[in-house]
Amino acid sequence: MKTSYSYLLILILTLFSGCDPTSKANQLEFSIESKIENSQPIRFSNAKANPEENELVGVYYMPSWNTSPDPAVDRDSFWSCLTGRGDCASLQNTGIWGARGRVYNARFPYEGPYLDRKPIEELKGFYKRDDPEVIKKQLQFMKSYGIDFFAYDWFYGRNYYYHLYFGPQSTIYYPKGWEIDPNRDGRVAVPGLEEWNDQLKVMLEVNASLPENEQMKWAINWCDDSHERWMAWLKIGSPDEMARKANYEGEKPDRALYLKVHEKITRQWTDNYFNRNDYLKSTDGRPIIYFYFPQDAESRAAYYGLELKDLLDLSQKVAKEQGFPGIKFIAVTAGPMMPNEKAYGLPTKWVAKNPNRPWEGGEYRNKQLLQEYVPRLKSMGFEGMTAYVYHNFMEKSNKSYADMRETYRGHWNMWSEKFKDDPNFEYQVPVAMGWDMRPAGGTWPQASGFPSEPEKDRVHSDKNSFASKLRDAQTISRKYRNSNGNTVMICCWNEYLEGNYIEPTESHGYDYLEAIRDTFKK
């Protein structure tokens, strides 16, 4: 998803119990109907030879969604961009690429389609995102090849009001006992709903239907990263929204409502997810939340005079009120590190250009380099950090997979050393299989319609180079085990538009899954 040099990049990348290995005391093996390439039964193991040394392997899972304005037509956000440019919403997004969308010419030609990224036949090729048979295969592949949990990229739209007495909206989550307006079909007083959760819903249903020792653990990776979502929130109560009766008098995005929506988000976690047996928890029983790009949430909370710690503290309070021992927050962050790049750094404050009309826009200020931002994470309430994708380390940028391996080693060593004496803040070692955003138009868009750094869309690995990177990650994880913990985070299961996917495809088959299995010996 997604590291950026400006908040503009964030727009394109909106595109997150008991996993303690010491509890895995007995090894179980069994066959399931699904076969892999060599027609051998998939093997499951719920134990490791030496649980003190072995790693807990997580993988990020990115949902796709329907980009068609016609509800009768399903135009998948992934497949429409892999199979051609005509229906690719990523290329047509004027908010990203400018008024004409992604422009093609001799210098920056369209290079697709990208049919080599088509999932294997066992996954039904360009599958339907909520097909339970496909999702069952995905979960089984993860489990059988040594992945311990997936972190589902979880998106939330704060601006949506809805009516609980209106049939299609009646199943949307709303905390019991919270205020509604019975005169308007039970219109909720506090807006907000999950977005792009089609896959998650089916994944959890399928997972729960499996025998317990075949189930995957999972966690939320909260992606509060969309500038478009922020502007939609600020637009609540604007004259335009009132005129078209999208909202009513008294519905406005003030500080009190912002906090109430955050409480609602946390209640959705506690009511729907944290009490599940398959939800990932720390060794002390606290549910784990990965928090993608905390700087974005911090900068927007600052608009209301709030610190990010205020939000995390509120979540902790709600979780404890609902009977949980608290929440373990892990920051997922990255960013520029060179002084000359500070203009593209991690913002800590958003300021409206016109305080009376904030929905017309503003700017992100007080930007920090990554090495300035990271030391602040613990004071915000985080107990660890990891990454989704690192695109650079200091002056070194990724223009090949060899470059990526070098930049990752720089981060691993820097952050492992920084936190080696702090047992209360862990660095979960991240790994990525590559980067190539050409299906979505290219890396770092410009309003002129061109990618600004197309040379960065050639970060390609293979089974051997990926396996070597996994072994390096394992080595650094074990070297700093006392402070780093034992989690290795892999990006990603299915970031098809960013060229970062380990799901079996027609081009690489099971190579990446086999590399994980062989490295971590599960």
Side-chain angles (χ1 to χ4, degrees), residues 11-13 15 65 67 75-105 108-114 228 436-451 457 497-498:
L11 296 178
I12 75 168
L13 300 176
L15 290 182
W65 60 95
T67 65
R75 184 183 299 158
D76 190 277
S77 59
F78 288 173
W79 313 143
S80 60
C81 293
L82 296 188
T83 57
R85 70 185 190 182
D87 290 332
C88 179
S90 295
L91 305 181
Q92 300 166 4
N93 190 326
T94 57
I96 293 171
W97 293 104
R100 293 186 295 164
R102 171 70 160 89
V103 178
Y104 303 94
N105 65 7
F108 295 104
Y110 175 74
E111 300 180 57
Y114 299 87
E228 291 174 314
D436 183 348
M437 270 196 69
R438 287 176 298 162
T443 289
W444 313 165
Q446 301 178 89
S448 62
F450 299 113
D457 287 320
L497 300 190
E498 296 180 358

Short mmCIF file of all heavy atoms in Angstrom, two decimals, residues 11-13 15 65 67 75-105 108-114 228 436-451 457 497-498:
data_model
loop_
_atom_site.label_atom_id
_atom_site.label_comp_id
_atom_site.label_asym_id
_atom_site.label_seq_id
_atom_site.Cartn_x
_atom_site.Cartn_y
_atom_site.Cartn_z
N LEU A 11 -3.49 8.88 -1.62
CA LEU A 11 -4.74 8.72 -2.35
C LEU A 11 -4.74 7.47 -3.20
O LEU A 11 -5.74 6.77 -3.31
CB LEU A 11 -4.97 9.94 -3.26
CG LEU A 11 -5.18 11.29 -2.59
CD1 LEU A 11 -5.32 12.35 -3.65
CD2 LEU A 11 -6.37 11.26 -1.69
N ILE A 12 -3.59 7.16 -3.81
CA ILE A 12 -3.60 6.03 -4.74
C ILE A 12 -3.49 4.70 -4.02
O ILE A 12 -3.72 3.66 -4.60
CB ILE A 12 -2.45 6.15 -5.75
CG1 ILE A 12 -1.11 5.79 -5.11
CG2 ILE A 12 -2.38 7.48 -6.38
CD1 ILE A 12 0.00 5.62 -6.10
N LEU A 13 -3.16 4.75 -2.78
CA LEU A 13 -2.85 3.50 -2.12
C LEU A 13 -3.91 3.09 -1.11
O LEU A 13 -3.64 2.37 -0.14
CB LEU A 13 -1.48 3.62 -1.45
CG LEU A 13 -0.37 3.94 -2.46
CD1 LEU A 13 0.95 4.14 -1.74
CD2 LEU A 13 -0.25 2.86 -3.48
N LEU A 15 -5.81 1.93 -1.62
CA LEU A 15 -5.94 0.63 -2.09
C LEU A 15 -5.20 0.19 -0.97
O LEU A 15 -4.48 1.19 -0.56
CB LEU A 15 -5.08 0.24 -3.15
CG LEU A 15 -5.05 0.63 -4.47
CD1 LEU A 15 -4.04 -0.11 -5.02
CD2 LEU A 15 -6.20 0.67 -5.18
N TRP A 65 -12.50 -4.44 -4.47
CA TRP A 65 -13.86 -3.93 -4.35
C TRP A 65 -14.42 -3.68 -5.74
O TRP A 65 -13.70 -3.71 -6.73
CB TRP A 65 -13.91 -2.64 -3.51
CG TRP A 65 -13.08 -1.52 -4.06
CD1 TRP A 65 -13.50 -0.51 -4.88
CD2 TRP A 65 -11.69 -1.30 -3.85
NE1 TRP A 65 -12.46 0.34 -5.19
CE2 TRP A 65 -11.33 -0.13 -4.56
CE3 TRP A 65 -10.70 -1.96 -3.12
CZ2 TRP A 65 -10.03 0.37 -4.58
CZ3 TRP A 65 -9.40 -1.47 -3.13
CH2 TRP A 65 -9.09 -0.31 -3.85
N THR A 67 -15.71 -1.45 -8.61
CA THR A 67 -15.55 -0.07 -9.07
C THR A 67 -16.62 0.37 -10.06
O THR A 67 -16.59 1.49 -10.56
CB THR A 67 -14.17 0.13 -9.72
OG1 THR A 67 -14.09 -0.67 -10.90
CG2 THR A 67 -13.05 -0.24 -8.77
N ARG A 75 -17.17 -4.95 -11.24
CA ARG A 75 -15.91 -4.65 -11.90
C ARG A 75 -14.83 -4.63 -10.82
O ARG A 75 -14.65 -3.64 -10.11
CB ARG A 75 -15.99 -3.30 -12.61
CG ARG A 75 -14.75 -2.94 -13.42
CD ARG A 75 -14.90 -1.55 -14.02
NE ARG A 75 -16.05 -1.49 -14.93
CZ ARG A 75 -16.66 -0.35 -15.26
NH1 ARG A 75 -16.27 0.80 -14.74
NH2 ARG A 75 -17.67 -0.37 -16.09
N ASP A 76 -14.14 -5.73 -10.69
CA ASP A 76 -13.18 -5.89 -9.59
C ASP A 76 -12.03 -4.91 -9.74
O ASP A 76 -11.43 -4.77 -10.81
CB ASP A 76 -12.65 -7.32 -9.56
CG ASP A 76 -11.85 -7.62 -8.32
OD1 ASP A 76 -10.65 -7.27 -8.30
OD2 ASP A 76 -12.40 -8.18 -7.36
N SER A 77 -11.67 -4.24 -8.65
CA SER A 77 -10.62 -3.23 -8.68
C SER A 77 -9.27 -3.80 -9.04
O SER A 77 -8.41 -3.09 -9.58
CB SER A 77 -10.54 -2.51 -7.33
OG SER A 77 -10.27 -3.43 -6.28
N PHE A 78 -9.04 -5.08 -8.76
CA PHE A 78 -7.80 -5.74 -9.14
C PHE A 78 -7.83 -6.19 -10.60
O PHE A 78 -7.02 -5.78 -11.42
CB PHE A 78 -7.53 -6.97 -8.27
CG PHE A 78 -7.12 -6.67 -6.86
CD1 PHE A 78 -7.01 -7.71 -5.95
CD2 PHE A 78 -6.84 -5.40 -6.43
CE1 PHE A 78 -6.63 -7.47 -4.65
CE2 PHE A 78 -6.45 -5.14 -5.12
CZ PHE A 78 -6.35 -6.20 -4.23
N TRP A 79 -8.79 -7.05 -10.88
CA TRP A 79 -8.78 -7.76 -12.17
C TRP A 79 -9.01 -6.79 -13.33
O TRP A 79 -8.46 -7.00 -14.42
CB TRP A 79 -9.82 -8.87 -12.18
CG TRP A 79 -9.83 -9.75 -10.98
CD1 TRP A 79 -10.93 -10.30 -10.37
CD2 TRP A 79 -8.69 -10.26 -10.25
NE1 TRP A 79 -10.55 -11.08 -9.31
CE2 TRP A 79 -9.19 -11.08 -9.21
CE3 TRP A 79 -7.32 -10.09 -10.36
CZ2 TRP A 79 -8.37 -11.73 -8.30
CZ3 TRP A 79 -6.47 -10.73 -9.44
CH2 TRP A 79 -7.00 -11.54 -8.43
N SER A 80 -9.81 -5.75 -13.13
CA SER A 80 -10.07 -4.82 -14.23
C SER A 80 -8.79 -4.09 -14.65
O SER A 80 -8.66 -3.69 -15.81
CB SER A 80 -11.13 -3.79 -13.82
OG SER A 80 -10.71 -3.05 -12.67
N CYS A 81 -7.85 -3.94 -13.72
CA CYS A 81 -6.58 -3.27 -14.05
C CYS A 81 -5.54 -4.24 -14.58
O CYS A 81 -4.65 -3.84 -15.34
CB CYS A 81 -6.04 -2.54 -12.82
SG CYS A 81 -7.06 -1.15 -12.30
N LEU A 82 -5.64 -5.51 -14.21
CA LEU A 82 -4.69 -6.50 -14.72
C LEU A 82 -5.02 -6.92 -16.15
O LEU A 82 -4.13 -7.27 -16.92
CB LEU A 82 -4.66 -7.74 -13.82
CG LEU A 82 -4.18 -7.56 -12.38
CD1 LEU A 82 -4.04 -8.92 -11.70
CD2 LEU A 82 -2.87 -6.79 -12.30
N THR A 83 -6.30 -6.88 -16.49
CA THR A 83 -6.73 -7.40 -17.79
C THR A 83 -6.79 -6.33 -18.87
O THR A 83 -7.00 -6.65 -20.04
CB THR A 83 -8.10 -8.09 -17.66
OG1 THR A 83 -9.05 -7.16 -17.12
CG2 THR A 83 -8.02 -9.30 -16.76
N GLY A 84 -6.64 -5.08 -18.52
CA GLY A 84 -6.67 -4.02 -19.52
C GLY A 84 -6.86 -2.67 -18.88
O GLY A 84 -7.14 -2.57 -17.70
N ARG A 85 -6.73 -1.62 -19.66
CA ARG A 85 -6.81 -0.29 -19.08
C ARG A 85 -8.19 0.34 -19.19
O ARG A 85 -8.48 1.33 -18.51
CB ARG A 85 -5.78 0.63 -19.73
CG ARG A 85 -6.07 1.00 -21.17
CD ARG A 85 -4.92 1.82 -21.74
NE ARG A 85 -5.25 2.40 -23.04
CZ ARG A 85 -4.40 3.12 -23.76
NH1 ARG A 85 -3.18 3.33 -23.32
NH2 ARG A 85 -4.76 3.61 -24.92
N GLY A 86 -9.05 -0.21 -20.04
CA GLY A 86 -10.33 0.43 -20.30
C GLY A 86 -11.21 0.59 -19.08
O GLY A 86 -11.84 1.63 -18.90
N ASP A 87 -11.27 -0.43 -18.22
CA ASP A 87 -12.14 -0.40 -17.06
C ASP A 87 -11.39 -0.19 -15.76
O ASP A 87 -11.97 -0.32 -14.68
CB ASP A 87 -12.93 -1.73 -16.96
CG ASP A 87 -13.96 -1.86 -18.06
OD1 ASP A 87 -14.44 -0.82 -18.54
OD2 ASP A 87 -14.28 -3.00 -18.44
N CYS A 88 -10.12 0.15 -15.84
CA CYS A 88 -9.30 0.27 -14.64
C CYS A 88 -9.56 1.61 -13.95
O CYS A 88 -9.13 2.66 -14.43
CB CYS A 88 -7.82 0.13 -14.97
SG CYS A 88 -6.73 0.28 -13.53
N ALA A 89 -10.24 1.57 -12.80
CA ALA A 89 -10.57 2.80 -12.09
C ALA A 89 -9.33 3.52 -11.59
O ALA A 89 -9.32 4.76 -11.49
CB ALA A 89 -11.50 2.48 -10.92
N SER A 90 -8.27 2.78 -11.30
CA SER A 90 -7.04 3.42 -10.82
C SER A 90 -6.46 4.36 -11.86
O SER A 90 -5.86 5.39 -11.52
CB SER A 90 -6.00 2.35 -10.46
OG SER A 90 -6.44 1.57 -9.37
N LEU A 91 -6.62 4.02 -13.14
CA LEU A 91 -6.08 4.86 -14.20
C LEU A 91 -6.98 6.05 -14.52
O LEU A 91 -6.53 7.03 -15.10
CB LEU A 91 -5.89 4.03 -15.48
CG LEU A 91 -5.05 2.77 -15.36
CD1 LEU A 91 -4.94 2.09 -16.71
CD2 LEU A 91 -3.67 3.08 -14.81
N GLN A 92 -8.23 5.96 -14.13
CA GLN A 92 -9.20 6.99 -14.45
C GLN A 92 -9.45 7.96 -13.31
O GLN A 92 -10.25 8.90 -13.44
CB GLN A 92 -10.53 6.33 -14.87
CG GLN A 92 -10.39 5.43 -16.09
CD GLN A 92 -11.59 4.54 -16.30
OE1 GLN A 92 -12.58 4.62 -15.58
NE2 GLN A 92 -11.52 3.65 -17.29
N ASN A 93 -8.77 7.76 -12.20
CA ASN A 93 -9.01 8.58 -11.01
C ASN A 93 -8.41 9.97 -11.19
O ASN A 93 -7.20 10.17 -11.15
CB ASN A 93 -8.39 7.89 -9.79
CG ASN A 93 -8.81 8.55 -8.49
OD1 ASN A 93 -8.99 9.77 -8.42
ND2 ASN A 93 -8.95 7.75 -7.45
N THR A 94 -9.27 10.95 -11.40
CA THR A 94 -8.79 12.31 -11.64
C THR A 94 -8.20 12.94 -10.38
O THR A 94 -7.37 13.85 -10.46
CB THR A 94 -9.92 13.20 -12.17
OG1 THR A 94 -11.01 13.19 -11.25
CG2 THR A 94 -10.40 12.68 -13.53
N GLY A 95 -8.63 12.47 -9.21
CA GLY A 95 -8.06 12.98 -7.97
C GLY A 95 -6.60 12.59 -7.81
O GLY A 95 -5.85 13.26 -7.10
N ILE A 96 -6.20 11.52 -8.47
CA ILE A 96 -4.82 11.04 -8.40
C ILE A 96 -4.00 11.56 -9.56
O ILE A 96 -2.93 12.13 -9.39
CB ILE A 96 -4.80 9.50 -8.39
CG1 ILE A 96 -5.42 8.96 -7.10
CG2 ILE A 96 -3.37 8.99 -8.56
CD1 ILE A 96 -5.61 7.47 -7.11
N TRP A 97 -4.54 11.38 -10.77
CA TRP A 97 -3.75 11.62 -11.98
C TRP A 97 -4.02 12.97 -12.63
O TRP A 97 -3.38 13.32 -13.63
CB TRP A 97 -4.02 10.52 -13.00
CG TRP A 97 -3.52 9.18 -12.59
CD1 TRP A 97 -4.27 8.13 -12.12
CD2 TRP A 97 -2.17 8.73 -12.58
NE1 TRP A 97 -3.47 7.06 -11.83
CE2 TRP A 97 -2.16 7.40 -12.10
CE3 TRP A 97 -0.95 9.31 -12.93
CZ2 TRP A 97 -1.01 6.64 -11.98
CZ3 TRP A 97 0.21 8.56 -12.81
CH2 TRP A 97 0.18 7.24 -12.33
N GLY A 98 -4.97 13.72 -12.12
CA GLY A 98 -5.30 14.98 -12.77
C GLY A 98 -6.54 14.86 -13.64
O GLY A 98 -7.15 13.79 -13.74
N ALA A 99 -6.90 15.95 -14.26
CA ALA A 99 -8.21 16.06 -14.93
C ALA A 99 -8.42 15.04 -16.04
O ALA A 99 -9.54 14.62 -16.30
CB ALA A 99 -8.38 17.47 -15.49
N ARG A 100 -7.37 14.59 -16.70
CA ARG A 100 -7.52 13.66 -17.82
C ARG A 100 -7.27 12.20 -17.41
O ARG A 100 -7.32 11.32 -18.26
CB ARG A 100 -6.58 14.04 -18.95
CG ARG A 100 -6.95 15.37 -19.62
CD ARG A 100 -6.05 15.62 -20.83
NE ARG A 100 -4.65 15.80 -20.44
CZ ARG A 100 -3.63 15.73 -21.28
NH1 ARG A 100 -3.85 15.43 -22.56
NH2 ARG A 100 -2.39 15.94 -20.86
N GLY A 101 -6.99 11.98 -16.15
CA GLY A 101 -6.66 10.63 -15.74
C GLY A 101 -5.24 10.27 -16.19
O GLY A 101 -4.45 11.13 -16.58
N ARG A 102 -4.93 9.00 -16.13
CA ARG A 102 -3.60 8.55 -16.53
C ARG A 102 -3.43 8.74 -18.04
O ARG A 102 -4.20 8.20 -18.83
CB ARG A 102 -3.42 7.07 -16.15
CG ARG A 102 -2.16 6.41 -16.70
CD ARG A 102 -0.90 6.94 -16.01
NE ARG A 102 0.20 6.00 -16.17
CZ ARG A 102 1.06 6.01 -17.20
NH1 ARG A 102 0.92 6.89 -18.18
NH2 ARG A 102 2.04 5.12 -17.24
N VAL A 103 -2.45 9.54 -18.43
CA VAL A 103 -2.23 9.87 -19.83
C VAL A 103 -1.13 8.96 -20.38
O VAL A 103 -0.13 8.71 -19.72
CB VAL A 103 -1.81 11.35 -19.99
CG1 VAL A 103 -1.53 11.68 -21.44
CG2 VAL A 103 -2.90 12.26 -19.45
N TYR A 104 -1.33 8.47 -21.60
CA TYR A 104 -0.35 7.58 -22.23
C TYR A 104 0.30 8.27 -23.41
O TYR A 104 -0.37 8.89 -24.23
CB TYR A 104 -1.04 6.29 -22.70
CG TYR A 104 -1.74 5.59 -21.58
CD1 TYR A 104 -3.09 5.81 -21.34
CD2 TYR A 104 -1.04 4.73 -20.73
CE1 TYR A 104 -3.74 5.18 -20.29
CE2 TYR A 104 -1.68 4.10 -19.68
CZ TYR A 104 -3.03 4.33 -19.47
OH TYR A 104 -3.65 3.71 -18.43
N ASN A 105 1.61 8.17 -23.50
CA ASN A 105 2.31 8.69 -24.67
C ASN A 105 3.56 7.86 -24.91
O ASN A 105 3.78 6.83 -24.25
CB ASN A 105 2.63 10.18 -24.51
CG ASN A 105 3.62 10.44 -23.38
OD1 ASN A 105 4.17 9.51 -22.79
ND2 ASN A 105 3.84 11.70 -23.07
N PHE A 108 5.79 7.47 -21.67
CA PHE A 108 5.23 6.67 -20.59
C PHE A 108 4.07 5.83 -21.13
O PHE A 108 2.91 6.09 -20.83
CB PHE A 108 4.75 7.55 -19.44
CG PHE A 108 5.85 8.29 -18.75
CD1 PHE A 108 6.06 9.63 -18.98
CD2 PHE A 108 6.68 7.62 -17.86
CE1 PHE A 108 7.07 10.32 -18.33
CE2 PHE A 108 7.70 8.30 -17.21
CZ PHE A 108 7.90 9.65 -17.44
N PRO A 109 4.33 4.85 -21.95
CA PRO A 109 3.25 4.07 -22.56
C PRO A 109 2.61 3.11 -21.57
O PRO A 109 3.21 2.73 -20.56
CB PRO A 109 3.98 3.30 -23.66
CG PRO A 109 5.37 3.11 -23.11
CD PRO A 109 5.67 4.36 -22.35
N TYR A 110 1.40 2.72 -21.91
CA TYR A 110 0.74 1.65 -21.16
C TYR A 110 1.44 0.34 -21.49
O TYR A 110 1.70 0.05 -22.65
CB TYR A 110 -0.73 1.58 -21.55
CG TYR A 110 -1.48 0.44 -20.91
CD1 TYR A 110 -1.81 0.46 -19.57
CD2 TYR A 110 -1.84 -0.66 -21.67
CE1 TYR A 110 -2.50 -0.59 -18.99
CE2 TYR A 110 -2.53 -1.72 -21.11
CZ TYR A 110 -2.85 -1.68 -19.76
OH TYR A 110 -3.54 -2.72 -19.19
N GLU A 111 1.74 -0.46 -20.48
CA GLU A 111 2.54 -1.67 -20.68
C GLU A 111 1.77 -2.96 -20.41
O GLU A 111 2.36 -4.03 -20.41
CB GLU A 111 3.79 -1.61 -19.80
CG GLU A 111 4.68 -0.42 -20.10
CD GLU A 111 5.92 -0.39 -19.22
OE1 GLU A 111 6.68 -1.37 -19.22
OE2 GLU A 111 6.11 0.63 -18.52
N GLY A 112 0.48 -2.88 -20.17
CA GLY A 112 -0.30 -4.06 -19.84
C GLY A 112 -0.86 -4.72 -21.09
O GLY A 112 -0.52 -4.33 -22.21
N PRO A 113 -1.75 -5.69 -20.92
CA PRO A 113 -2.25 -6.19 -19.64
C PRO A 113 -1.23 -7.06 -18.90
O PRO A 113 -0.19 -7.43 -19.46
CB PRO A 113 -3.48 -7.02 -20.05
CG PRO A 113 -3.14 -7.49 -21.44
CD PRO A 113 -2.37 -6.37 -22.07
N TYR A 114 -1.56 -7.39 -17.66
CA TYR A 114 -0.63 -8.09 -16.77
C TYR A 114 -1.21 -9.47 -16.42
O TYR A 114 -1.46 -9.78 -15.26
CB TYR A 114 -0.38 -7.24 -15.52
CG TYR A 114 0.23 -5.91 -15.88
CD1 TYR A 114 -0.58 -4.82 -16.21
CD2 TYR A 114 1.60 -5.75 -15.94
CE1 TYR A 114 -0.03 -3.61 -16.58
CE2 TYR A 114 2.17 -4.53 -16.30
CZ TYR A 114 1.35 -3.47 -16.62
OH TYR A 114 1.91 -2.27 -16.98
N GLU A 228 -9.08 11.24 0.74
CA GLU A 228 -10.44 11.35 0.21
C GLU A 228 -11.46 11.07 1.31
O GLU A 228 -12.50 11.75 1.38
CB GLU A 228 -10.62 10.37 -0.95
CG GLU A 228 -9.83 10.76 -2.19
CD GLU A 228 -9.92 9.72 -3.27
OE1 GLU A 228 -9.75 8.52 -2.96
OE2 GLU A 228 -10.13 10.11 -4.43
N ASP A 436 5.81 -3.11 -8.07
CA ASP A 436 5.64 -2.77 -9.49
C ASP A 436 4.20 -2.30 -9.67
O ASP A 436 3.29 -3.10 -9.83
CB ASP A 436 5.93 -3.98 -10.37
CG ASP A 436 5.82 -3.67 -11.86
OD1 ASP A 436 5.32 -2.59 -12.20
OD2 ASP A 436 6.25 -4.52 -12.67
N MET A 437 4.01 -0.99 -9.65
CA MET A 437 2.67 -0.42 -9.67
C MET A 437 2.15 -0.11 -11.08
O MET A 437 1.17 0.62 -11.23
CB MET A 437 2.61 0.86 -8.83
CG MET A 437 2.25 0.61 -7.39
SD MET A 437 1.74 2.11 -6.54
CE MET A 437 0.19 2.46 -7.34
N ARG A 438 2.77 -0.64 -12.09
CA ARG A 438 2.34 -0.31 -13.45
C ARG A 438 0.87 -0.63 -13.73
O ARG A 438 0.21 0.13 -14.46
CB ARG A 438 3.25 -0.99 -14.46
CG ARG A 438 4.64 -0.37 -14.55
CD ARG A 438 5.53 -1.14 -15.49
NE ARG A 438 5.74 -2.51 -15.02
CZ ARG A 438 6.18 -3.50 -15.79
NH1 ARG A 438 6.45 -3.29 -17.07
NH2 ARG A 438 6.37 -4.70 -15.28
N PRO A 439 0.30 -1.72 -13.20
CA PRO A 439 -1.13 -1.96 -13.47
C PRO A 439 -2.03 -0.84 -12.97
O PRO A 439 -3.12 -0.63 -13.52
CB PRO A 439 -1.41 -3.27 -12.73
CG PRO A 439 -0.10 -3.96 -12.68
CD PRO A 439 0.91 -2.86 -12.50
N ALA A 440 -1.60 -0.11 -11.93
CA ALA A 440 -2.39 1.01 -11.41
C ALA A 440 -1.92 2.34 -11.98
O ALA A 440 -2.37 3.39 -11.53
CB ALA A 440 -2.31 1.04 -9.88
N GLY A 441 -1.01 2.30 -12.94
CA GLY A 441 -0.58 3.52 -13.60
C GLY A 441 0.87 3.87 -13.39
O GLY A 441 1.45 4.63 -14.16
N GLY A 442 1.48 3.35 -12.34
CA GLY A 442 2.88 3.65 -12.09
C GLY A 442 3.11 4.28 -10.73
O GLY A 442 2.19 4.75 -10.07
N THR A 443 4.37 4.28 -10.34
CA THR A 443 4.73 4.74 -9.00
C THR A 443 4.77 6.26 -8.90
O THR A 443 5.40 6.93 -9.71
CB THR A 443 6.08 4.15 -8.59
OG1 THR A 443 5.90 2.75 -8.36
CG2 THR A 443 6.63 4.78 -7.33
N TRP A 444 4.11 6.74 -7.86
CA TRP A 444 4.00 8.15 -7.48
C TRP A 444 3.42 8.98 -8.64
O TRP A 444 4.13 9.51 -9.48
CB TRP A 444 5.33 8.76 -7.04
CG TRP A 444 6.15 8.00 -6.06
CD1 TRP A 444 7.46 8.25 -5.80
CD2 TRP A 444 5.78 6.91 -5.22
NE1 TRP A 444 7.92 7.36 -4.85
CE2 TRP A 444 6.92 6.54 -4.49
CE3 TRP A 444 4.60 6.19 -5.01
CZ2 TRP A 444 6.93 5.49 -3.56
CZ3 TRP A 444 4.59 5.14 -4.10
CH2 TRP A 444 5.73 4.81 -3.38
N PRO A 445 2.12 9.11 -8.65
CA PRO A 445 1.45 9.82 -9.75
C PRO A 445 1.65 11.33 -9.68
O PRO A 445 1.95 11.90 -8.64
CB PRO A 445 -0.02 9.47 -9.53
CG PRO A 445 -0.12 9.29 -8.05
CD PRO A 445 1.17 8.63 -7.65
N GLN A 446 1.46 11.96 -10.82
CA GLN A 446 1.47 13.41 -10.91
C GLN A 446 0.15 13.88 -11.51
O GLN A 446 -0.49 13.14 -12.26
CB GLN A 446 2.61 13.89 -11.80
CG GLN A 446 3.99 13.47 -11.35
CD GLN A 446 5.05 13.94 -12.32
OE1 GLN A 446 5.56 15.03 -12.18
NE2 GLN A 446 5.36 13.11 -13.30
N ALA A 447 -0.23 15.09 -11.19
CA ALA A 447 -1.48 15.62 -11.74
C ALA A 447 -1.45 15.71 -13.25
O ALA A 447 -2.49 15.76 -13.91
CB ALA A 447 -1.75 17.00 -11.14
N SER A 448 -0.25 15.72 -13.84
CA SER A 448 -0.13 15.76 -15.30
C SER A 448 -0.51 14.44 -15.94
O SER A 448 -0.68 14.35 -17.15
CB SER A 448 1.30 16.09 -15.69
OG SER A 448 2.20 15.10 -15.21
N GLY A 449 -0.65 13.40 -15.11
CA GLY A 449 -1.06 12.11 -15.64
C GLY A 449 0.07 11.14 -15.86
O GLY A 449 -0.10 10.12 -16.51
N PHE A 450 1.25 11.42 -15.33
CA PHE A 450 2.40 10.55 -15.52
C PHE A 450 2.94 10.06 -14.19
O PHE A 450 2.85 10.76 -13.18
CB PHE A 450 3.52 11.28 -16.28
CG PHE A 450 3.11 11.74 -17.64
CD1 PHE A 450 3.01 13.09 -17.91
CD2 PHE A 450 2.82 10.83 -18.64
CE1 PHE A 450 2.63 13.54 -19.17
CE2 PHE A 450 2.44 11.28 -19.90
CZ PHE A 450 2.34 12.63 -20.16
N PRO A 451 3.54 8.88 -14.17
CA PRO A 451 4.27 8.46 -12.98
C PRO A 451 5.54 9.29 -12.84
O PRO A 451 6.18 9.63 -13.84
CB PRO A 451 4.58 6.99 -13.25
CG PRO A 451 4.60 6.88 -14.73
CD PRO A 451 3.58 7.88 -15.24
N ASP A 457 9.39 0.89 -10.64
CA ASP A 457 8.44 -0.18 -10.93
C ASP A 457 9.14 -1.40 -11.55
O ASP A 457 8.59 -2.04 -12.46
CB ASP A 457 7.34 0.33 -11.88
CG ASP A 457 6.37 1.25 -11.16
OD1 ASP A 457 6.02 0.94 -10.00
OD2 ASP A 457 5.97 2.26 -11.74
N LEU A 497 -1.99 -4.88 -7.60
CA LEU A 497 -1.76 -3.64 -8.33
C LEU A 497 -0.43 -3.00 -7.95
O LEU A 497 0.07 -2.14 -8.67
CB LEU A 497 -2.90 -2.65 -8.07
CG LEU A 497 -4.29 -3.13 -8.48
CD1 LEU A 497 -5.29 -1.99 -8.39
CD2 LEU A 497 -4.29 -3.73 -9.87
N GLU A 498 0.15 -3.44 -6.85
CA GLU A 498 1.45 -2.91 -6.43
C GLU A 498 2.58 -3.89 -6.70
O GLU A 498 3.73 -3.62 -6.36
CB GLU A 498 1.40 -2.55 -4.95
CG GLU A 498 0.40 -1.45 -4.66
CD GLU A 498 0.32 -1.06 -3.20
OE1 GLU A 498 1.03 -1.71 -2.39
OE2 GLU A 498 -0.42 -0.14 -2.87
#
